[in-house]
Amino acid sequence: QVQLVESGGGLVQAGGSLSLSCAAPATIFSTNTMGWYQQAPGKQRELVATITSGDTTHYVDSVKGRFTIARDNAKSTVYLHMNSLKPEDTGVYYCNVPVGSRFVRYGWGQGTQVTVSS
């Protein structure tokens, strides 16, 4: 069973920064697009950023210019660097391998909580 392990969340004031990490098995990491998802309180999980194996990135409009997704293939780790955080960025963040825009390939990890206070 594939295990995805997210870390790095915390409590931060609006305007602050956080960096999240997600460790994945090397067997799935190097050839797959990786994505970060946000589940805001009371809302469905939403894909916010992706990075392909060739380092092409994509972001939803709400995080463009503030978040940066990056990957380290040697460490089988994907990162989400979050700057200029807003209260609406609050939620549990997960990583996974996207399948289209609605599905993922693997079970969800435990996620990491990000709380942005105003």
Side-chain angles (χ1 to χ4, degrees), residues 30-117:
S30 62
T31 59
N32 279 298
T33 293
M34 298 297 298
W36 279 99
Y37 295 76
Q38 176 199 15
Q39 187 162 24
K43 296 186 178 180
Q44 289 189 331
R45 221 169 321 217
E46 176 190 22
L47 179 62
V48 297
T50 60
I51 184 166
T52 69
S53 57
D55 288 338
T56 298
T57 58
H58 180 267
Y59 303 91
V60 296
D61 288 344
S62 60
V63 308
K64 280 181 182 176
R66 301 188 300 119
F67 290 10
T68 301
I69 188 170
R71 63 191 296 157
D72 185 334
N73 289 335
K75 295 182 179 180
S76 298
T77 299
V78 61
Y79 304 96
L80 189 66
H81 304 297
M82 313 165 72
N83 296 316
S84 302
L85 283 161
K86 303 176 180 180
E88 51 264 43
D89 297 320
T90 293
V92 182
Y93 284 74
Y94 303 85
C95 69
N96 214 309
V97 176
V99 179
S101 61
R102 296 179 57 196
F103 301 102
V104 295
R105 186 165 296 173
Y106 300 107
W108 295 104
Q110 84 288 348
T112 186
Q113 175 72 47
V114 171
T115 303
V116 184
S117 63

